[in-house]
Amino acid sequence: MILNKKKKNPQKAEQRQIILRLLGYLLKNKSSILAAIPLMLASNILALAAPALSGYAINAIIGKGDVDFRQVYIYTAGMIVCFLASSALSFLLSVVMINMSRKVVYTMRREVFEHLVDLPVSFFDKNRTGDLISRLSYDIDTVNASLSNDLLQICTGAVTVIGSAIMMFCISPILILVFAVTVPALVFFAIYRVKKVKPLFRARSEKLGMLNGYIEEIISGQKTIHAYGKESVMIGRFDRRNEDAVEAYYLADYHGSVVGPSVNFINNISLSLISMFGAILFLALRITIADLSTFILYSRKFSGPINETANIISEIQSATSAARRIFLILDLPTEKQVSDRAFPPLLCQNGQIEFRNVCFGYSKDKRILTDISSYIQSGKKIAIVGPTGSGKTTFINLLMRFYDPDSGEILIDGQNTLHHSLADVRKCFSMVLQDTWLFGGTIRENLLYGNPDASEDDMISAAKATHIHDYVMSLPDGYDTLIDENGNNISKGQKQLINIARAMLVAAPIIILDEATSNVDSLTEARISDAISTLTAGKTSIIIAHRLSTIQNADCIFVIKDGRIVESGSHAELTGKRDGFYARLYKSQFEKQLKSG
């Protein structure tokens, strides 16, 4: 007969793995653990001594009107000392645990942030910023609260439960059998409820992440929302997401709150049974009043931690759900790299680029680029044009290895980029994007971001070449003027000029300009055209542009349509083809300019 093996529960295995990983973070702080263990043991032992002293004080009552008050005073004083010492040690233990949890959270948040920075661009294309912020802040803070409070209660409670059980067994092995009925009932009920509430807390964390993602999206798009008068529409969408989050919170908290009162009810039943059977044993002269009183006190200490654990079970579930979302990020693979061998250095000096039969799609069922083959000579100015969605930006994403091709090869100076480190590949490029990005700091720090070792003279020369120097010097602090996050205190045109100057300071043989002049006016565009010429002199430059008038002097223009290069050549050659796609595209733009003029 073949016995069917029980299938492992993947949720149990995952829960166990989460707890072990959290314990791994705690074990990194061995000094705190070594300090916490004796404090916890001493505090609980002192607290457990008090009921025994209470019993001794009751035994000092010899009979009616015959009380040894001296013994009562001694044992009462001993109880007070034990309680005071236990409270002081508990306070010190709390301080140790809070400091340990602070270190754990600092380490965890740093690891998550460092891992996020190393994740591929595709991850950020698929995940909302608000949800990621929620994991870095709310989820980690939830874990912190559980480590500093819940873990302390569980550990101290475990010591109290074990110590109380030993003391009760010493007093009356028969009376402790009451717990043989109530404790299994508690365990089975708790397990049953945990299985029910675990998915609810996971859903709660996910709904909150979705709500935060939507809030981040709405806050960043306020100008567009107001411009189109869609405030009420966005509020309605927010209300639906907010209602989903609140409902998820309610269901998790409601079903989680059932555990505490139910466990407390079972513990009260055990106390009632102890009182009843204890009275019977007293009448049978099997136990004294003092021992029965002490036993009852220990039974309360025994059930107290169980009640506390039941009451915080919702917080524990919330913490494990939050930890799961954190570990899901930490378990994601970083950008594709070969880890079992050292990379050969990528010798990028000339800036020669070649695409060989490259195919790529962001998803398996939708291909963006199909069989792209092209050769770009070093030092040439190449323009990439085409309708929206044709694959122009994807071309750059593959070149920079933000994504890797599904098939084919991309070579720089004859070297396959897949065979070299991402750092080496990206050192070949300096880049100016359509979406300008500046970080909170000084103008100097932003300019030197790509090349911190650049000299003061080089920085000023780059600023002068992009016509930003005079503006910077007009500011009270010059190059030490602080820019707020995203550079909101300067215009878009000025931000783009700083971006271009920053690219000038990077000693890379290849320049990428992705709609670099789209955020500046015509006058500013004309002023920086000579700066771009200086930037691209002697270097391979790749320009993505919608305005074809800006790339007429390109050495070669690649025309991409539906993921394929359908035409290539100089502006004159392509416009000479009357039925060519580029010629029609240029003609339509030219006619629009005449009408608008």
Side-chain angles (χ1 to χ4, degrees), residues 429-433 446-451 462 466 496-508 510-513 535 539:
F429 304 92
S430 62
M431 196 174 194
V432 180
L433 298 172
N446 276 277
L447 286 170
L448 298 178
Y449 182 73
N451 184 12
T466 55
Q496 193 64 302
L497 291 170
I498 292 174
N499 273 301
I500 294 171
R502 179 168 62 192
M504 280 187 172
L505 292 170
V506 178
I510 305 172
I511 307 294
I512 296 176
L513 302 170
L535 172 65
K539 299 181 179 181

Side-chain angles (χ1 to χ4, degrees), residues 530-551:
D530 60 330
I532 291 179
S533 298
T534 304
L535 172 65
T536 58
K539 299 181 179 181
T540 305
S541 56
I542 301 174
I543 304 169
I544 295 178
H546 284 105
R547 288 184 287 181
L548 304 185
S549 58
T550 62
I551 47 95

Side-chain angles (χ1 to χ4, degrees), residues 54-71:
S54 173
Y56 296 148
I58 293 174
N59 276 333
I61 304 174
I62 301 169
K64 186 176 181 180
D66 187 7
V67 180
D68 188 346
F69 285 103
R70 182 175 175 277
Q71 292 293 319

